[in-house]
């Protein structure tokens, strides 16, 4: 594998990086299918796990989806026993919070393990110099979503 020595141009780099990230994301999403969960459902399950008691509207806003659309996903996750709805104690009785069940937490752990194993197996096939370059790039890649526009 050759490394480009030309100055880094943001647009050129984005054009090279985007398809790689999309392919990686596709492959990692496929690892959820063996557990009977779609990639989108896994994302929603993870979001609920990270924000126990979150409401449907707040979850929809966080995930960038319409509330009606996310409700269908939540219904399927609830039918599968992965998520439960609970009424708020005092205050607005109409408010329903979402929580991941024990089965949902086990499913999330299974997803994480499968995805990590898939990625680790692919990384093992790379030479040490490639691994070092990838390791050095992780911090910068992690800052991309929060970078100002």
């Amino acid at each position: 594998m050759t490394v480009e020595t030309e100055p880094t141009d943001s647009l050129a780099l984005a054009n090279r990086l985007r398809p790689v990230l999309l392919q990686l994301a596709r492959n990692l999403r496929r690892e959820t299918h063996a557990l009977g969960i779609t990639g989108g459902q896994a994302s929603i399950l993870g979001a609920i796990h990270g924000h126990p008691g979150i409401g449907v509207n707040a979850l929809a806003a966080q995930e960038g989806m319409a509330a009606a659309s996310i409700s269908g996903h939540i219904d399927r996750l609830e039918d599968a026993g992965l998520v439960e709805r609970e009424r708020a104690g005092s205050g607005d009785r109409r408010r329903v919070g979402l929580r991941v069940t024990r089965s949902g937490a086990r499913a999330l752990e299974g997803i994480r393990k499968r995805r990590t194993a898939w990625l680790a197996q692919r990384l093992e096939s790379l030479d040490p110099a490639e691994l070092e370059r990838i390791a050095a790039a992780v911090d910068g890649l992690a800052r991309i979503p929060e970078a100002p526009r």
Side-chain angles (χ1 to χ4, degrees):
M1 179 175 185
T2 62
V3 177
E4 306 253 342
T5 56
E6 296 177 16
T8 304
D9 170 88
S10 296
L11 185 58
L13 181 58
N15 275 319
R16 289 180 53 218
L17 183 58
R18 181 187 39 76
V20 172
L21 294 176
L22 289 172
Q23 184 63 43
L24 281 171
R26 243 183 258 120
N27 283 298
L28 291 171
R29 272 194 313 272
R30 283 187 194 124
E31 290 300 305
T32 66
H33 293 237
L35 300 171
I37 300 171
T38 68
Q41 289 171 332
S43 176
I44 292 168
L45 194 59
I48 295 168
H49 189 263
H51 298 91
I54 192 169
V56 173
N57 289 333
L59 180 62
Q62 180 180 311
E63 294 294 302
M65 297 174 70
S69 176
I70 210 160
S71 288
H73 289 291
I74 293 167
D75 289 343
R76 287 186 285 285
L77 290 169
E78 189 176 29
D79 290 345
L82 303 175
V83 168
E84 60 189 8
R85 299 173 199 248
E86 47 185 38
R87 298 263 177 228
S90 60
D92 188 353
R93 292 176 173 252
R94 296 169 296 174
R95 179 154 177 341
V96 175
L98 302 168
R99 294 206 182 278
V100 172
T101 64
R102 283 192 184 130
S103 294
R106 282 192 302 270
L108 271 176
E109 183 61 25
I111 290 166
R112 286 185 186 120
K113 284 181 178 180
R114 286 185 67 90
R115 287 176 169 176
T116 299
W118 180 90
L119 190 54
Q121 183 180 28
R122 270 62 184 185
L123 289 171
E124 286 173 359
S125 70
L126 302 178
D127 66 52
E130 289 173 314
L131 288 173
E132 284 182 33
R133 288 193 300 272
I134 291 170
V138 170
D139 289 339
L141 289 168
R143 286 192 302 274
I144 291 173
E146 290 83 32
R149 293 180 180 210

